[in-house]
Amino acid sequence: MKTGKILERLDKEYPPHHAEKWDNPGLQVGRRDRTVRKVMVALDATDDVIRQCVEWGAELLVTHHPLLMSGITKINCESLAGRRILALTENGISHFAIHTNYDVTRMAELAEKALKLKKTEILEVTGTDDDGKPYGIGKAGNLTEKMTAADCCETVKKAFGLPHVRLFGDGNTVIKRVAVSPGSGKSMIAPALASGVSLLITGDIGHHEGLDAVDQGLLVIDAGHYGVEHIFIHDMAEFLRKNFPDLKVKEAKTQEPFVVV
């Protein structure tokens, strides 16, 4: 099967025009006319993931995060991006990324279902479809029952298969309505406050952002960037298996990029 046919189906399901203006989804490296038999799915195109592609013989790597987010003036082994591009091209591997266009089309829905939220609404509307239907980043919704913030931490850990999370705020606070925004959620604090939720579940919250959120009445569970977004890997692999049964699809072996010691 040609790479282009696969990419056309992905673009149809996760329209590139739904992506944020600052984003860079799409074909990062490679050719659309190459034949593909094996596809690897991962969150990031790291050195280890590319090595897994080479060892398995994958011709296409599909990730959530783009390899290239800014301009590059040289492609050589002296830079990280250059080294990865060379590793991909020298081994005949194309790389395709589906980032914020996946976030608004699918990621928020996946996170909502993992947490079993009820009465949900889009956390931050970023655009509208041709038929006028809004789409956007994250979801706000009710938990299945009231619980303390500490118990909510346990719910998040179970929902996303995590060993730990960080809580900004009082663990005894009773929570009913929450917001979830997979990925880096610093910019989602304001929308969460505007939505009236008591707690935001996201990743990459810094010291000052966490303190400021709490002082404004919003608790935050930082489950990690990888922690909430790794759900992309299995979901995308299943999409490819369903729509391209002739392809061999493999989920990259990945884990949280840090350990708590």
Side-chain angles (χ1 to χ4, degrees), residues 45-47 50 67-68 70-88 90:
T46 63
D47 289 355
I50 295 172
L67 174 61
L68 302 172
S70 58
I72 182 170
T73 57
K74 295 179 181 179
I75 300 175
N76 57 46
C77 61
E78 296 174 1
S79 69
L80 181 61
R83 185 172 74 235
R84 290 173 175 172
I85 292 169
L86 288 173
L88 289 165
E90 290 172 352

Side-chain angles (χ1 to χ4, degrees), residues 1 26-27 30 53 74 83 91 105 123 145 158 169 180 241:
M1 182 176 300
L27 185 61
C53 289
K74 295 179 181 179
R83 185 172 74 235
N91 288 281
T105 307
L123 182 57
E145 60 182 3
K158 182 178 180 181
V180 59
R241 291 178 183 121

Side-chain angles (χ1 to χ4, degrees), residues 1-14 32 34-39 59-62 96 98 236 239-240 243-244 246-249:
M1 182 176 300
K2 298 298 183 183
T3 302
K5 183 176 181 180
I6 301 170
L7 304 192
E8 285 174 9
R9 182 67 184 87
L10 290 172
D11 280 343
K12 181 178 180 181
E13 188 72 15
Y14 313 103
R32 290 180 179 268
R34 276 190 58 84
T35 298
V36 175
R37 291 172 290 273
K38 293 182 177 181
V39 182
E59 296 95 0
L60 175 62
L61 170 62
V62 176
F96 186 78
I98 314 171
M236 180 54 59
F239 176 85
L240 291 168
N243 287 274
F244 302 99
D246 293 336
L247 289 177
K248 292 182 179 180
V249 181

